[in-house]
């Protein structure tokens, strides 16, 4: 029987699942949210700091999912 305070190793550090798809999917979604408003003429683009944060966080999530 496993104690409740022991954590299983090998899972995602953010979401606690073994699949790598969750952080990669979230990272791609953040990257899409940053790029699509820039490419679509009818949608107003967010300010540059917001775009930079979305791109950096998205790249970090994709890297985290691929590196594990």
């Amino acid at each position: 029987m496993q104690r409740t305070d022991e954590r299983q190793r090998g899972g995602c550090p953010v979401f606690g699942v073994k699949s790598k798809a969750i952080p990669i999917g979230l990272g791609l979604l953040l990257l899409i949210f940053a790029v699509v408003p820039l490419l679509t003429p009818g949608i107003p683009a967010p300010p540059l700091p917001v775009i930079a944060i979305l791109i950096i966080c998205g790249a970090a999530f994709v890297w985290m999912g691929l590196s594990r």
Side-chain angles (χ1 to χ4, degrees), residues 7-8 35 41 49-50 58-59 61:
R7 293 186 184 183
Q8 295 179 354
V35 173
V50 174
F61 273 116

Side-chain angles (χ1 to χ4, degrees), residues 15-68:
F15 298 97
V17 296
K18 291 185 179 182
S19 172
K20 298 177 185 178
I22 300 290
I24 293 173
L26 182 61
L28 291 176
L29 188 65
L30 289 172
L31 290 172
I32 288 171
F33 284 158
V35 173
V36 167
L38 296 175
L39 301 177
T40 308
I43 299 174
L48 187 60
V50 174
I51 292 173
I53 289 171
L54 289 174
I55 289 175
I56 291 170
C57 291
F61 273 116
V62 170
W63 174 78
M64 181 179 60
L66 291 176
S67 67
R68 293 203 125 229

